[in-house]
Amino acid sequence: MRILLLCTAHNSLSQRLSLVLSKKHSVTVEYALSEATMMEAARLAQPHLIVCPFLTTRVPREVYNAYLTLIVHPGPPGDAGPSALDWLLMGDDGTEPDSTRLLEPSRQRLSAKGRSHWGVTVLQAIGELDAGQVWAYDQFPVDIDEPGLTKSTLYRGAVTRAAITAVLAAIDRIEEEAPSRLEEPFGSPLTPPESPCNDEQSSDPHGAIVKIHPGLVARGEYAFFSAGSGEPFCGGQTHCRPLLKAAHRDFDPNTHPAVEISRRIRSADSQPGCLSALFGPKLYLYGGLVEPAVASDVSPGSIIGIRDEAVCVATADHKGVWITHIRRVKAKTDPELWPKVPAAAGLAELGIIENPRSSSQVVPGTAARSPANIDEWTKDSHTAFQEIWVEFAVDENRHVAYVHFALYNGAMSTSQCRRLSECLRALLRVADNLPLTAVVLMGGRSYFSNGIHLNVIDAAQDPALESWYNINAINDVVQLILGDFPSRGVTMVAALRGNCAAGGVALAAACDVVLAGEHVVLNPAYRALGLHGSEFHSLSYPGRCGAESAATLLRSMTPLSADDALRVGLVDAVVPGYGDMLDSAIRQRVDAMLAPNSWPFRNMSLGRWKRNADLSAGALARARATELAQMSMDFWSARSQRYHERRRAFVRKAKPPATPLRFATHRRGQSRLDQEEHDCFDSVEWFAEKSRAEAKRRLCGQISQLLDEFSQTKSSDSPRPLLVAASEAPPLSVRVPGRDESVDRTASSGLLFPCYYTL
């Protein structure tokens, strides 16, 4: 079947869904940038089915009238509105049908416990929002006060898993409900078409030709029984709820308890953030972890502790709430959004706190630590917030250290990388005195690691220099993994419990063994961000996958499922489950791998990929120097334009001009490539010539405008300046000696002097 995914962005859910659907179907993706774009995509792709896994705009009538279009709504049947998860995490349990009364401060009708279950519905697109017939839904248990549960972590976890189940069930039901006629023998293989065609028919696995169209009727039971459990929805009554506005989430630490403040902050993560004047100026706040007990003589609203660049604020019920990140509000005069930065650093920059490293120490455990002592890296029993900690599993024969680094959105800033290095060095001292058999890098549950911290970099006074500090700091972590621990006979294991990208994939690949949860999505390429990449990937990727496959991984810039990564050698085993089940399965796999008589796993623990790579001290130094030489060009040379522009667009949430062709395969014409897919994308000379040509063009435009204005002041019989319209000028080609690539730089408007350009 040909399936078109329409998405506002190709996020974690749409990536996971495209990987699952691609096992049986031909899938292409289009960003929903405009109605015209969506209609054109449908015309080009000629899909049998359209699925919208993440869409914040309406599907054009012309599209859903012509093609059966499914909307993935993050709520159970009967729920409607753009803030489904926000209402859930705020404490709406469905008992109050009136949304206005539900939010009245004097009544406080939000539930003390919240719902026990939530769901995801796959419904058909019609004119009314979230009102089409239901083709499938799935439900899952939820504890809205679970520590660390935010809207974004819920979305990447339970919501994504339920969405996959519901979409697959919906497709099966659509094929079942569609009229069919047998044209091929039973058992003929399903082969998705390589390119779009004009028919509206689809082959099912049994060789039948099914007719899929918007007029198909879904059975009523699809909206009643969950596709996964087969049970009715267990989470209470559902309603159509309006957009949850910033004012609805505002709070007062003098009157609101910590749990309620936490809910309001966590329900707004990661977009748009909880707008509050808690620190004086209005800021978007993120985090929301509850600190269970603070000193009773502290004024509500005051900062009572700082740890790992997060700040803890006292609340009215003698508890606290941790604010991990802040973002300034975009003013009308601001051209784009502000970066999201660690709270302590952001408040210090605003002059709200003097020293982000200071702490009143009202919260126990927030005092300065001694990084050399491994006891300082164990899970702190006194405070709720801790980014990096170590757990030990000990028996009579061995010690295994499980290192957790639960970093916001998986981004690793310079300071966070340095803290992780300090933690690992403390473990090296343990290895000098105790039989430390293995170190298991656990990352976080939502993300393992996504590499360098782009928001912190973009907020820095010198983003290029901060990029350099950051990449060197994460390289220090990987150097410990590749050099110091193996020299002491310690096996390094990476356990990917959440998604992983760029430098985070390379960090994991440097370990002897990589275990990946079955639901994990990996994006190993750096290129889409305009980076060459480092983290010793030039050793680990070829060592694990072979030189050709490693090059493909870096150039393709497409996501991989855990199974895909296993096939190419990027991971060594896929572990079933999620959450606590996955954690338990990982520990069982590590125990089995390290057991003396467990030969099938013993081979894996030896890091077989290292036999294909030179990991001597000299080789590590050469690889690091070579990679950093390329990265320095990404930060400071003419080629740095590709990185700085893409980083800024990512951080500031700039709207993309088009869907990358590597996702929008329906737009792949003959020899059409994304800019990142051209060889000239790596050329410093090409970018230098491009910059010179653009500078000349800007100068020509300015001179032309001045001359045009000057000519208008002359009398009508005065000689007119010799100006050439851009549309009449020959196309500009930027060429690099020895290369065939050229880029058409002809402007579509304005006045140009064609003599400035190489023809």
Side-chain angles (χ1 to χ4, degrees), residues 14 99 103 291 294 480 726:
S14 61
S99 302
L103 294 172
E291 182 63 42
V294 300
L480 291 168

Side-chain angles (χ1 to χ4, degrees), residues 355-417:
N355 182 1
R357 296 185 180 277
S358 66
S359 172
S360 61
Q361 300 181 27
V362 176
V363 178
T366 59
R369 294 167 291 173
S370 173
N373 186 354
I374 191 59
D375 292 337
E376 297 294 336
W377 294 102
T378 57
K379 184 64 175 175
D380 201 323
S381 60
H382 298 291
T383 181
F385 179 75
Q386 188 172 355
E387 285 186 330
I388 302 172
W389 70 94
V390 180
E391 294 177 327
F392 284 97
V394 181
D395 62 24
E396 57 184 13
N397 297 318
R398 62 179 182 267
H399 290 64
V400 177
Y402 290 84
V403 181
H404 299 257
F405 41 104
L407 309 178
Y408 185 78
N409 284 344
M412 303 176 71
S413 68
T414 301
S415 60
Q416 289 168 328
C417 291

Side-chain angles (χ1 to χ4, degrees), residues 42 96 114 248-249 301 408 501 505 678 687 694 707:
E96 174 56 70
H248 299 148
R249 281 187 252 255
Y408 185 78
V505 179
H678 286 279
F687 278 97
E694 288 177 345
L707 290 175

Side-chain angles (χ1 to χ4, degrees), residues 547-694:
E548 184 176 349
S549 293
T552 300
L553 286 175
L554 293 169
R555 288 295 291 261
S556 66
M557 296 170 286
T558 52
L560 297 174
S561 68
D563 289 332
D564 293 335
L566 177 64
R567 279 191 290 271
V568 299
L570 203 55
V571 305
D572 299 294
V574 176
V575 184
Y578 56 87
D580 291 339
M581 293 185 297
L582 178 59
D583 287 356
S584 178
I586 287 171
R587 290 175 183 266
Q588 291 174 10
R589 181 63 65 98
V590 170
D591 289 342
M593 180 180 67
L594 298 176
N597 57 351
S598 183
W599 292 108
F601 297 107
R602 193 62 186 166
N603 288 334
M604 184 191 302
S605 70
L606 296 176
R608 287 175 296 175
W609 72 268
K610 293 183 176 180
R611 303 170 192 173
N612 305 321
D614 181 1
L615 299 179
S616 63
L620 292 179
R622 285 192 298 273
R624 180 167 182 162
T626 301
E627 292 175 358
L628 288 178
Q630 290 290 330
M631 292 294 277
S632 68
M633 288 189 278
D634 290 335
F635 300 154
W636 287 294
S637 76
R639 193 177 76 184
S640 67
Q641 174 187 349
R642 67 179 193 174
Y643 162 62
H644 293 307
E645 288 181 352
R646 284 164 174 78
R647 183 203 67 244
R648 191 171 185 86
F650 173 83
V651 169
R652 313 284 177 145
K653 310 298 182 186
K655 185 177 181 179
T659 309
L661 296 174
R662 55 186 177 272
F663 302 140
T665 55
H666 56 282
R667 294 185 180 273
R668 283 276 199 198
Q670 187 175 9
S671 302
R672 288 195 67 193
L673 298 173
D674 290 322
Q675 185 184 37
E676 299 89 348
E677 294 175 304
H678 286 279
D679 289 338
C680 64
F681 191 65
D682 294 318
S683 170
V684 175
E685 294 84 1
W686 187 87
F687 278 97
E689 183 63 26
K690 176 173 175 283
S691 296
R692 285 193 292 269
E694 288 177 345

Side-chain angles (χ1 to χ4, degrees), residues 228-562:
S229 65
E231 299 176 346
F233 180 58
C234 304
Q237 294 295 316
T238 55
H239 308 281
C240 178
R241 298 295 194 200
L243 175 70
L244 200 60
K245 298 180 180 179
H248 299 148
R249 281 187 252 255
D250 198 10
F251 59 85
D252 182 356
N254 292 290
T255 57
H256 288 112
V259 169
E260 187 170 342
I261 295 174
S262 171
R263 289 181 179 181
R264 295 181 181 221
I265 295 173
R266 292 183 293 108
S267 71
D269 186 273
S270 62
Q271 292 294 333
C274 182
L275 187 62
S276 172
L278 174 65
F279 299 109
K282 284 198 170 184
L283 299 167
Y284 288 106
L285 309 182
Y286 305 86
L289 192 66
V290 173
E291 182 63 42
V294 300
S296 59
D297 58 346
V298 178
S299 300
S302 59
I303 296 176
I304 56 175
I306 298 176
R307 183 174 196 173
D308 296 342
E309 299 180 277
V311 299
C312 187
V313 178
T315 57
D317 55 346
H318 306 300
K319 296 182 180 180
V321 173
W322 287 95
I323 309 299
T324 62
H325 291 74
I326 64 169
R327 181 165 60 84
R328 298 190 201 184
V329 177
K330 180 182 179 296
K332 292 183 179 180
T333 55
D334 293 330
E336 51 199 355
L337 294 176
W338 288 85
K340 190 186 300 182
V341 297
L347 294 175
E349 185 178 354
L350 291 170
I352 296 172
I353 60 176
E354 293 183 0
N355 182 1
R357 296 185 180 277
S358 66
S359 172
S360 61
Q361 300 181 27
V362 176
V363 178
T366 59
R369 294 167 291 173
S370 173
N373 186 354
I374 191 59
D375 292 337
E376 297 294 336
W377 294 102
T378 57
K379 184 64 175 175
D380 201 323
S381 60
H382 298 291
T383 181
F385 179 75
Q386 188 172 355
E387 285 186 330
I388 302 172
W389 70 94
V390 180
E391 294 177 327
F392 284 97
V394 181
D395 62 24
E396 57 184 13
N397 297 318
R398 62 179 182 267
H399 290 64
V400 177
Y402 290 84
V403 181
H404 299 257
F405 41 104
L407 309 178
Y408 185 78
N409 284 344
M412 303 176 71
S413 68
T414 301
S415 60
Q416 289 168 328
C417 291
R418 289 171 178 170
R419 288 200 298 272
L420 183 56
S421 290
E422 290 172 353
C423 176
L424 294 178
R425 290 191 185 98
L427 283 173
L428 285 173
R429 283 182 280 274
V430 172
D432 291 335
N433 300 289
L434 294 173
L436 183 62
T437 308
V439 172
V440 184
L441 303 180
M442 299 290 284
R445 276 194 172 181
S446 188
Y447 283 113
F448 176 79
S449 169
N450 285 328
I452 59 177
H453 201 311
L454 300 178
N455 274 271
V456 169
I457 289 170
D458 204 66
Q461 290 186 345
D462 187 341
L465 185 60
E466 181 58 33
S467 299
W468 182 254
Y469 290 152
N470 203 163
I471 195 62
N472 274 279
I474 197 170
N475 276 357
D476 290 342
V477 174
V478 182
Q479 182 121 20
L480 291 168
I481 294 171
L482 281 173
D484 296 72
F485 282 98
S487 68
R488 289 165 171 79
V490 179
T491 299
M492 298 300 295
V493 181
L496 311 186
R497 301 180 296 163
N499 295 345
C500 193
V505 179
L507 187 153
C511 292
D512 296 291
V513 178
V514 180
L515 308 176
E518 62 179 330
H519 301 290
V520 166
V521 175
L522 299 89
N523 280 278
Y526 306 82
R527 197 174 180 84
L529 193 64
L531 289 174
H532 173 271
S534 192
E535 295 96 2
F536 297 88
H537 76 272
S538 59
L539 296 177
S540 60
Y541 284 10
R544 285 184 162 276
C545 311
E548 184 176 349
S549 293
T552 300
L553 286 175
L554 293 169
R555 288 295 291 261
S556 66
M557 296 170 286
T558 52
L560 297 174
S561 68

Side-chain angles (χ1 to χ4, degrees), residues 6-334:
L6 291 179
C7 316
T8 298
H10 200 20
N11 66 2
S12 56
L13 169 55
S14 61
Q15 289 183 32
R16 173 73 178 140
L17 181 61
S18 67
L19 290 168
V20 171
L21 293 178
S22 295
K23 294 178 181 179
K24 292 179 60 178
H25 306 285
S26 177
V27 180
T28 185
V29 178
E30 180 77 28
Y31 293 168
L33 301 176
S34 67
E35 286 195 357
T37 299
M38 288 187 275
M39 289 188 288
E40 183 184 43
R43 178 178 58 80
L44 291 173
Q46 289 290 301
H48 301 114
L49 183 68
I50 295 176
V51 181
C52 306
F54 171 60
L55 196 63
T56 58
T57 187
R58 292 180 182 271
V59 179
R61 181 185 301 272
E62 293 83 352
V63 172
Y64 66 71
N65 279 344
Y67 303 93
L68 180 55
T69 302
L70 301 180
I71 306 294
V72 178
H73 174 69
D79 177 83
S83 303
L85 297 179
D86 309 54
W87 283 99
L88 168 71
L89 293 177
M90 282 278 285
D92 173 19
D93 64 359
T95 56
E96 174 56 70
D98 190 327
S99 302
T100 303
R101 295 180 64 191
L102 187 63
L103 294 172
E104 289 180 1
S106 59
R107 296 178 179 270
Q108 193 48 257
R109 296 177 181 271
L110 291 170
S111 169
K113 293 185 177 180
R115 296 180 187 266
S116 64
H117 289 73
W118 196 240
V120 175
T121 304
V122 176
L123 47 87
Q124 190 166 335
I126 60 173
E128 186 178 351
L129 192 67
D130 299 334
Q133 58 181 350
V134 173
W135 282 99
Y137 88 94
D138 194 26
Q139 64 178 324
F140 51 86
V142 62
D143 175 5
I144 66 170
D145 293 321
E146 176 187 338
L149 181 69
T150 67
K151 181 170 67 173
S152 57
T153 59
L154 181 65
Y155 184 88
R156 286 191 293 268
V159 169
T160 294
R161 291 190 296 271
I164 300 297
T165 300
V167 169
L168 293 178
I171 291 175
D172 288 343
R173 291 166 178 177
I174 287 170
E175 291 184 327
E176 181 181 342
E177 296 295 333
S180 63
R181 56 189 176 87
L182 194 62
E183 288 197 352
E184 298 180 20
F186 277 85
S188 61
L190 171 67
T191 305
E194 294 295 328
S195 59
C197 56
N198 293 324
D199 66 90
E200 295 183 2
Q201 297 176 338
S202 169
S203 298
D204 72 12
H206 302 293
I209 302 299
V210 297
K211 182 78 171 179
I212 296 174
H213 57 86
L216 296 179
V217 179
R219 300 178 188 177
E221 64 195 57
Y222 296 162
F224 189 74
F225 296 108
S226 169
S229 65
E231 299 176 346
F233 180 58
C234 304
Q237 294 295 316
T238 55
H239 308 281
C240 178
R241 298 295 194 200
L243 175 70
L244 200 60
K245 298 180 180 179
H248 299 148
R249 281 187 252 255
D250 198 10
F251 59 85
D252 182 356
N254 292 290
T255 57
H256 288 112
V259 169
E260 187 170 342
I261 295 174
S262 171
R263 289 181 179 181
R264 295 181 181 221
I265 295 173
R266 292 183 293 108
S267 71
D269 186 273
S270 62
Q271 292 294 333
C274 182
L275 187 62
S276 172
L278 174 65
F279 299 109
K282 284 198 170 184
L283 299 167
Y284 288 106
L285 309 182
Y286 305 86
L289 192 66
V290 173
E291 182 63 42
V294 300
S296 59
D297 58 346
V298 178
S299 300
S302 59
I303 296 176
I304 56 175
I306 298 176
R307 183 174 196 173
D308 296 342
E309 299 180 277
V311 299
C312 187
V313 178
T315 57
D317 55 346
H318 306 300
K319 296 182 180 180
V321 173
W322 287 95
I323 309 299
T324 62
H325 291 74
I326 64 169
R327 181 165 60 84
R328 298 190 201 184
V329 177
K330 180 182 179 296
K332 292 183 179 180
T333 55
D334 293 330

